[in-house]
Amino acid sequence: EGAMLVPVNGTRQGEAGAVLRWTPRRGQDLHEPYRLCFVSQAVALSAARQQDAQYAARTCIHIKVRKCQYCVQSGESLESVARSFGMDHLQMYMLNPYLRRPDQIHPKTVLTTGALYEVQPGDFVERLGRRFLLSSQELTAANPDVEMGGGQLYPGQHLCVRTPLCEVDCKYDTDCEKRTA
């Protein structure tokens, strides 16, 4: 959904082609890549111009949508994007320190929305939630593939982790807990 093929002229006379344009929506960052298949056809006149010859070729590509990434849309600000992910603009800015002017982000800017974590053997949603000071619901909401898989995790799977950076109190650098309102 939301993808389109835009026709382009080829580099040689008589060539034609198309460019696939697609900006994934939130929730389309699944662990498995998308598989897109195309069938291209060419029609050519034979030397005697009596008969058309048709050629068809099938090509498939795999597209992996990166987790913990968001593409800014027209009219959005760092604050509005942060709010839509349940964080404040300072948390979002801390995840994107390369932004020179966080008050002026442009459409198509790619923002990091969390840290990428690779699931290890023995990990499960509740344990990771405690480790990263998140509820199980917060962790699965940030990872639609986990939610669709009934909360099952497997080694090598990548998770987007949005740790509450600004709402944490720590004693001795290791004993941390989420601040309550």
Side-chain angles (χ1 to χ4, degrees), residues 42-81:
V43 177
L45 293 174
S46 65
R49 291 188 163 258
Q50 294 176 352
Q51 192 174 21
D52 289 342
Q54 291 192 6
Y55 305 96
R58 179 183 166 103
T59 303
C60 293
I61 60 172
H62 292 87
I63 298 176
K64 177 86 171 144
V65 179
R66 292 181 287 170
K67 285 192 168 215
C68 297
Q69 303 283 299
Y70 179 76
C71 184
V72 175
Q73 305 299 306
S74 181
E76 291 182 317
S77 65
L78 189 69
E79 187 172 356
S80 68
V81 172

Side-chain angles (χ1 to χ4, degrees), residues 80-137:
S80 68
V81 172
R83 207 173 27 249
S84 75
F85 281 96
M87 56 179 89
D88 67 33
H89 71 284
L90 291 176
Q91 287 175 289
M92 184 66 77
Y93 181 57
M94 287 172 62
L95 291 167
N96 297 278
Y98 61 87
L99 294 174
R100 289 189 178 157
R101 300 282 314 263
D103 57 327
Q104 295 179 357
I105 58 172
H106 303 286
K108 305 232 184 270
T109 299
V110 177
L111 297 175
T112 299
T113 63
L116 202 58
Y117 173 79
E118 185 173 335
V119 174
Q120 302 300 310
D123 281 345
F124 56 93
V125 172
E126 293 78 16
R127 180 182 292 165
L128 290 176
R130 283 193 303 274
R131 178 177 179 186
F132 296 115
L133 304 174
L134 299 168
S135 69
S136 298
Q137 293 80 11

